[in-house]
Structures are given as C-alpha cells and as structure tokens.
Amino acid sequence: MNRRFRTLNRLSMRQPERKPLKEAAGMLLGLTVLVALSTLAQSAHAQQPQPWTQIPVPPLHPFHPQQPKRIELKNGLVIMLQEDHELPFINGFIEMRGGSRDEPANKAGLIDLYSDAWRTSGTASKNGDELDDLLEAKAAKVETGGDTDSTSLSWSCLTKDEDLVFGIAVDLLEHPAFKEDKLMLAKQQAAAGIVRRNDDASAIAGREAAKLVYGANSPYTREPELATIKAVTLDDLKQWHDKTIVPNNMIIGVEGDFDAAQMEKTLRAAFENLPRGTPWPKPSGEFPGPKPGVYIVDKTDVNQSNVNILGIGTLRSNPDYFALSVMNEIFSGGFGSRLFQDVRTKQGLAYSVGGGYGSSYDHPGMFKVGAGTKSASTIKATQAMVAEIGDLKTKPFTEEELKRAKDQVLNSFIFNYDTKEKVLAAAARLEFYGYPADFLERYRDGVEHVTTADLERVAKKYIDTSKLAVLIVGNQQEFGAPLTELGMGAPHAVDITIPGAPQQSQGGNEGEQ
C-alpha cells in the first residue's frame, strides 16, 4: 500500500467518531443557506418593480409661466422686460412690423438686402467694420434681420457692457448709414443664392409647395430674381426704414441680468419722444388652396424623390386649433404615429415621413404631408400617404391614441417655454400678432379637454383628399410606373427656370419640363 493510502487509513481509524458530527454540521449549514435564499427570493419578489404600464403617472403641474413686465408708452411702443439673474448676460430685440410679404413685387428681395446692408453699413459715426471690431472685443453682438412679416434688430452682451452695446443698437436704429458698396455686396451674395437655388431637391420642394398652396404670385411665395434685386436702390432701403421705424410699429423685448425699473427708465429715455407714425395695415388676401392634381419637377440628377401632399391649413385663433393639434400628433407625431407606422415601419416606403394640418398666426398655414423615398417607390409611397390621410375620416380614433397624443403634446409643450428667454419670445410673438397674453395657458387647457368626438368632428370638417395636390421632385424615369396611376389625371410639369441665369444641364431642370 502506498504512502498516501496508508496515511488516509490511519486518519480514518483515529477519528471515526467525528463523521456523524461533520454530516450534521453540513446539513445544518445547508438548511441555513436554503432558508436565507428563500427569504431573499421572497423579498426580491416583493420588491420587484411593477410593469411600466402600471406605473402611475402624476398629473402635470399647473402651467403659469412668469410673464414679462409689459409697458406701453404714450406713442404706442410696447416694451416687455424679463429679469433673469442666473447669468451675467442681457439679450434684447426690437421687432418692426412689415416684411417680405409687404415689399413691391418688382423688387422682391428688398427685405433681405435691407437687413444685410443695414448692419454691414453701420451708422453715421461708425461704419460696419468698426462695429465688428468693437463688438468682437466685447464678445457682444448687434444684428439685423428680415422675415416674412417683420424686420428686427437684436443685441446680446455681458451685463457690464449693456450701456455700450445698447447704445450701438439705438444708434443703428436711429442713424443707419446704408452705403452703396454694402448694398452691392448684399446683391452679389443674393445673386449667388438665386442661380444655385435649384441645386437642392428638398429646397425646390419646399419652395414650390408654398406656391401651389398660396399661389405663384402670392406675397407669401414671391422669389427674389436677378432682375428684382437689381432694381433695389439705396433710396428703397432708406424709405423702408423710415416707414417701419415708428414706435407704434415696434415691440422691444429685453431679457437677462438687469433691474426692470432701471431698464424701463433707459428705454423710456431712448424711445418715448419718438413721434407716432402710420399704423401698419393688417394682412389681407384670399387663400383658396391648391388646385388638385399631380405636379412634377423632373430632376434627373437624383435617385430619390421628395413627395409633398398639400392643402390649405388654418389659423391658430381657430377654436378647433387644439383638436387639430391632437389629431396631428396621432397622425404623424412620432415613431408610434399612424403615418410613421404604416408608411415607414410596416411598408418600408420612406426613410422620412411626417407632416400635418398646419397653422399660422395671421394667415392660414399649410396642410402638408411629406416623405423622402427611393425613386422606385415614389408611386407606392404617395398612395400610402394619401390612404393614411383618408383614414383620418374613416378610421375611428381610440381612447388609447387620444391619451398618448395628449401626453406627448403636453409633456413636450412645456419644454418650449422652460426658460425666461423662451417665455419672453413667446409673449412678444403673441403681442405682435394680437393674441391674448394667456394664450399659452389656453392652449394647454384646450388640449386637455379634447375628446375622441372632437377628433372625429375636425377630421371630417377639415380633411378632404379630393382638394389635395401632390408635388413630386424626383427623377421621373426611375419611378417604374406612370404618375397617372395616382388617379389624379395627367401630371403638370413645374417650370423652375431661373430668369436671367445661365441655363444649366439637365439635372438642374431649368426650362426642360
């Protein structure tokens, strides 16, 4: 017998009485472990979180944003002040009524040229380049801009530099230079943009969609042309400035690290003695919507299509605006929306899809549903979107859809106004368009009270596929089927020729429809 086995034999002979004790101790230890594991398992089961669908969602807090202080001077100028001492910055803006929709048709582009040359020309005391150097040294900004219905002057600076920077802004407002060389530079830049405007298919789609809805000659869709910007003169800029820079045509907003009483005093000193001018006329016009049919921009240098289905929208003052907002969320509000789930997820016909019943503050918005898709799936994607639009009238809205849409609208809504700067901008916008100051609170309350019956009512009232137009920007040869398969008659070719510009080759589509 080898040594190892002899040693084991001796040990077993010397301690035979300890084996039962070891077995008993092992059994006791095992029972203890089992009891402990059982207790832990029961505790873990008791503490296991509930399914997410059963987690209670607390109601949203009341929405009452801190409104800016509103001051109206005797000359009609409105001032809105919003103190915010979190950071040592001050941001201000002056909005003037009157924009590109108000410029003469034969001088389309005037507002863009005006807003560029206004800032770059500088003032009677400091030219634009000198202002650039001075402001850059202070990490400050003074900018001018133009929009469809307004022009603007804004500034931003450290609190300690407010007097200097605000002084520059006032000087630019009251004593603009408007220099010929800066106007010529703005014209050159505008001309470069005009001759290249057909390069991007999505830009073409957006531009031509607006023309179909509002009309090619509408003030809302006028395009600057080489001839119209050439016609703009320095006198035009000066006359526009004199016409719009009147106190009863202006709203001033300031937000940041300042004392409201002192800021009011400063603004009064700068603007209270300005004479009242002619009130800006309210917009008017007819908005019949697009002529139904299929419209094609045959852009042969692309392998995908931009598809837009178009109609006329509504105003935000419409009492049905709240129900339409919820309907939009159900229809195309995100990954779980009807449109996205059908066209993109189930059928795989588009890499981007969205849209809805649009609204604007003082004129109807657009009903617009769009998608980006491969050339070969253009017809099917269009048919799928039209079908989803039609289903808004026939497919019942569920309580689950309503609840989810309300949650999404209301929970995202608050983030549009989660800073004092955003609240000020919203308040100024409501003031600009003549909406009540509590419109934001009304919006939340209106959305909360929308029912499925409201959704069905507005869908039947506003959705009519027979009044829609389809605009496609893409390579028609690669569609794989004629556009007549959409059942809307023969397609209409859209002319996107740029008057006066050198004719491009076939991908740009100038004059080749």
Side-chain angles (χ1 to χ4, degrees):
M1 184 180 296
N2 63 41
R3 182 179 300 173
R4 184 167 68 88
F5 281 104
R6 286 199 301 269
T7 302
L8 288 174
N9 187 50
R10 285 198 300 270
L11 289 173
S12 63
M13 293 176 64
R14 290 177 184 172
Q15 301 175 347
E17 72 281 358
R18 294 185 180 182
K19 187 175 181 180
L21 291 175
K22 286 183 179 180
E23 291 177 351
M27 292 177 64
L28 180 60
L29 178 61
L31 288 172
T32 302
V33 171
L34 287 173
V35 171
L37 291 174
S38 176
T39 303
L40 288 172
Q42 292 177 5
S43 176
H45 180 73
Q47 298 177 10
Q48 185 176 2
Q50 296 177 334
W52 68 268
T53 54
Q54 298 179 15
I55 297 176
V57 179
L60 291 172
H61 295 297
F63 179 70
H64 299 295
Q66 180 181 331
Q67 292 295 328
K69 180 181 180 182
R70 182 186 184 278
I71 305 149
E72 185 169 351
L73 305 185
K74 60 184 179 182
N75 57 12
L77 186 145
V78 174
I79 297 171
M80 311 189 85
L81 304 178
Q82 186 80 290
E83 289 189 44
D84 183 359
H85 301 286
E86 183 177 0
L87 295 171
F89 296 110
I90 294 178
N91 303 295
F93 60 81
I94 305 175
E95 291 284 336
M96 285 71 68
R97 291 183 175 86
S100 61
R101 68 184 179 188
D102 305 297
E103 64 192 6
N106 64 342
K107 296 188 178 183
L110 167 65
I111 297 305
D112 289 337
L113 298 176
Y114 165 76
S115 60
D116 285 348
W118 182 10
R119 171 62 181 82
T120 57
S121 296
T123 71
S125 60
K126 279 187 172 52
N127 64 44
D129 297 333
E130 290 174 326
L131 290 181
D132 289 342
D133 293 339
L134 177 59
L135 293 167
E136 184 178 358
K138 297 292 185 180
K141 292 193 302 182
V142 175
E143 303 292 344
T144 53
D147 208 335
T148 304
D149 51 18
S150 65
T151 56
S152 63
L153 171 67
S154 62
W155 69 95
S156 177
C157 62
L158 292 167
T159 303
K160 65 184 181 66
D161 298 322
E162 167 66 9
D163 290 344
L164 172 66
V165 176
F166 176 66
I168 292 173
V170 172
D171 193 24
L172 194 60
L173 186 78
E174 297 182 349
H175 308 105
F178 291 121
K179 296 183 177 180
E180 185 68 42
D181 61 330
K182 298 302 183 182
L183 174 58
M184 292 304 299
L185 177 61
K187 286 185 176 184
Q188 291 170 7
Q189 293 170 336
I194 290 171
V195 299
R196 305 301 304 175
R197 72 184 179 201
N198 288 337
D199 290 355
D200 182 73
S202 61
I204 295 172
R207 182 179 76 234
E208 298 302 325
K211 288 183 180 180
L212 286 175
V213 174
Y214 295 124
N217 298 318
S218 168
Y220 293 92
T221 60
R222 289 196 198 108
E223 284 293 321
E225 302 292 354
L226 296 175
T228 64
I229 63 170
K230 183 179 180 181
V232 175
T233 66
L234 273 183
D235 284 341
D236 293 323
L237 306 189
K238 295 173 183 177
Q239 290 171 14
W240 182 268
H241 192 82
D242 293 341
K243 183 179 179 181
T244 56
I245 306 302
V246 293
N248 50 315
N249 191 42
M250 297 158 55
I251 296 174
I252 299 179
V254 187
E255 179 271 339
D257 182 30
F258 59 84
D259 176 73
Q262 182 59 46
M263 182 61 72
E264 179 183 347
K265 182 178 178 181
T266 299
L267 294 173
R268 282 184 179 274
F271 299 111
E272 195 158 31
N273 292 326
L274 292 178
R276 182 185 288 265
T278 303
W280 198 263
K282 292 186 177 181
S284 61
E286 298 295 326
F287 299 92
K291 181 180 179 181
V294 179
Y295 299 82
I296 175 69
V297 177
D298 192 13
K299 192 165 173 58
T300 58
D301 61 342
V302 298
N303 59 6
Q304 57 194 30
S305 296
N306 283 269
V307 181
N308 284 302
I309 302 173
L310 306 162
I312 195 70
T314 190
L315 291 161
R316 295 197 178 196
S317 57
N318 185 344
D320 290 331
Y321 171 60
F322 313 115
L324 288 167
S325 296
V326 178
M327 183 192 76
N328 282 343
E329 189 67 29
I330 293 172
F331 176 63
S332 60
F335 293 143
S337 67
R338 290 182 176 185
L339 187 67
F340 193 96
Q341 282 293 306
D342 180 54
V343 178
R344 188 178 190 273
T345 303
K346 293 180 181 178
Q347 299 193 54
L349 294 173
Y351 49 82
S352 64
V353 63
Y357 204 88
S359 59
S360 296
Y361 285 98
D362 63 357
H363 68 280
M366 288 196 295
F367 175 69
K368 183 177 180 181
V369 179
T373 185
K374 297 182 298 183
S375 297
S377 56
T378 299
I379 305 298
K380 288 184 178 180
T382 305
Q383 291 171 332
M385 288 191 291
V386 172
E388 280 297 324
I389 294 171
D391 283 349
L392 288 171
K393 297 180 69 171
T394 59
K395 182 179 178 181
F397 295 94
T398 67
E399 290 295 334
E400 181 182 353
E401 284 182 319
L402 176 65
K403 181 180 183 303
R404 185 170 63 245
K406 283 185 178 182
D407 287 344
Q408 290 169 338
V409 170
L410 294 175
N411 282 288
S412 61
F413 165 78
I414 192 67
F415 291 102
N416 295 326
Y417 312 101
D418 58 349
T419 67
K420 292 182 178 180
E421 186 175 8
K422 292 179 182 178
V423 172
L424 173 64
R429 189 160 51 247
L430 296 175
E431 178 77 32
F432 187 92
Y433 293 109
Y435 278 63
D438 65 345
F439 184 78
L440 299 181
E441 289 93 327
R442 293 187 189 186
Y443 177 81
R444 174 174 166 171
D445 183 67
V447 168
E448 288 177 335
H449 285 87
V450 172
T451 66
T452 54
D454 292 326
L455 297 177
E456 292 173 3
R457 176 180 59 80
V458 297
K460 291 177 180 177
K461 181 178 180 180
Y462 295 100
I463 302 301
D464 187 349
T465 54
S466 69
K467 295 182 178 180
L468 300 178
V470 175
L471 171 67
I472 300 173
V473 180
N475 190 344
Q476 192 170 190
Q477 292 181 344
E478 297 182 357
F479 291 172
L483 290 172
T484 52
E485 287 200 4
L486 294 175
M488 302 176 71
H492 306 278
V494 178
D495 183 9
I496 59 171
T497 302
I498 303 172
Q503 296 300 299
Q504 298 179 358
S505 60
Q506 192 170 343
N509 196 50
E510 284 82 1
E512 295 180 357
Q513 281 77 7

